[in-house]
Amino acid sequence: MIDHARDLVSVREATDRLLTAAAKLDNASVAEPSRLPGWSRGHVLAHLARNADALVNVLEGRPMYVSATARDADIDRDAPRLLEVQLTDVRESAARFQDTGVAPADWSRTVELRNGVTDAAARVPFRRWVEVELHHVDLGIGYELEDLPTEFVEREIDFLAERFTGHPDVPPTRLSDGTRAWNTGREAGAAEVTVQGSAPDLLGWLAGRRDGAALSTEGGTLPPLPPL
């Protein structure tokens, strides 16, 4: 059972961690490359702010973005801003998302995200939590996958394993961190490949943040994953 109210608390806590860490940057370091190809740290911060507003749109029944082109243009426009402006925007947009999240609503309803993707409204706070945590890592300022909350790591592995389940380009795969196991990829009676490693390394590979070099495999090589 998804607890959207509890996830909203987790989003707020994750946002506070990110803002506290990012406040130690300066204007020059905001302009430096992030860990995401082609994006500066300013791009990451601008994306976080615009994503919060986009998810408000989702919860209020509007299109998430006007268009993919407009989304990218807004991020490029906002990326060069000074650190103080970036942090204020992330903080204020996060507050707008929280205000929308606590308003009375039917959380069982289905909402539409990007590219025709739909989901339960109750899962939107978790999706925002994902954005904040992973992009905090993407900033490259000392927050690593190993620093993510354990609950978040487990749930995001669950989410990504489910996302790749049934995908024709991913062989039937079993994932294990030595304690828990997940199945993903094409449907089959048994997994063709077993991938083992720490939960942060599994998450990093599934989320496209690590190349999987720290993982071990049985039954075949590490499967290539389609872009998220």
Side-chain angles (χ1 to χ4, degrees):
M1 185 70 178
I2 302 171
D3 187 342
H4 72 275
R6 187 166 179 265
D7 284 347
L8 282 168
V9 173
S10 296
V11 172
R12 185 174 67 247
E13 293 172 348
T15 303
D16 288 345
R17 285 194 296 272
L18 183 148
L19 287 168
T20 298
K24 298 175 184 178
L25 298 172
D26 56 28
N27 291 326
S29 56
V30 169
E32 292 173 350
S34 73
R35 290 176 173 175
L36 293 177
W39 271 17
S40 67
R41 293 190 177 107
H43 281 89
V44 174
L45 293 171
H47 166 63
L48 280 168
R50 301 289 68 77
N51 173 263
D53 286 336
L55 291 177
V56 169
N57 288 339
V58 168
L59 291 176
E60 293 185 344
R62 296 185 295 274
M64 187 169 180
Y65 296 102
V66 173
S67 66
T69 300
R71 169 191 177 274
D72 294 345
D74 286 348
I75 294 170
D76 286 339
R77 177 199 65 207
D78 294 342
R81 297 176 303 178
L82 298 178
L83 174 63
E84 182 179 354
V85 178
Q86 298 278 17
L87 297 182
T88 298
D89 194 14
V90 172
R91 185 179 300 107
E92 291 180 350
S93 60
R96 290 191 290 272
F97 177 75
Q98 289 286 333
D99 288 345
T100 302
V102 299
D106 174 13
W107 287 94
S108 67
R109 73 192 187 280
T110 297
V111 295
E112 183 171 347
L113 296 125
R114 293 181 67 196
N115 303 320
V117 173
T118 59
D119 204 349
R123 206 197 303 244
V124 171
F126 177 71
R127 285 179 175 270
R128 176 61 182 174
W129 190 12
V130 172
E131 294 286 329
V132 176
E133 293 285 17
L134 292 186
H135 286 315
H136 190 169
V137 174
D138 293 335
L139 286 172
I141 55 177
Y143 191 69
E144 304 296 340
L145 295 173
E146 286 76 12
D147 298 316
L148 295 170
T150 300
E151 178 195 354
F152 171 80
V153 172
E154 293 176 358
R155 288 180 61 187
E156 179 63 350
I157 292 175
D158 286 343
F159 180 78
L160 291 173
E162 179 183 345
R163 183 165 181 169
F164 292 125
T165 294
H167 198 292
D169 296 332
V170 180
T173 303
R174 183 177 185 272
L175 312 173
S176 175
D177 67 354
T179 302
R180 292 145 299 185
W182 300 263
N183 290 304
T184 193
R186 293 191 303 271
E187 301 290 351
E192 295 178 5
V193 182
T194 297
V195 178
Q196 295 180 307
S198 71
D201 279 324
L202 288 171
L203 172 57
W205 173 61
L206 290 167
R209 265 64 181 185
R210 290 184 180 171
D211 62 8
L215 303 172
S216 63
T217 62
E218 296 179 5
T221 59
L222 189 68
L225 296 176
L228 292 170

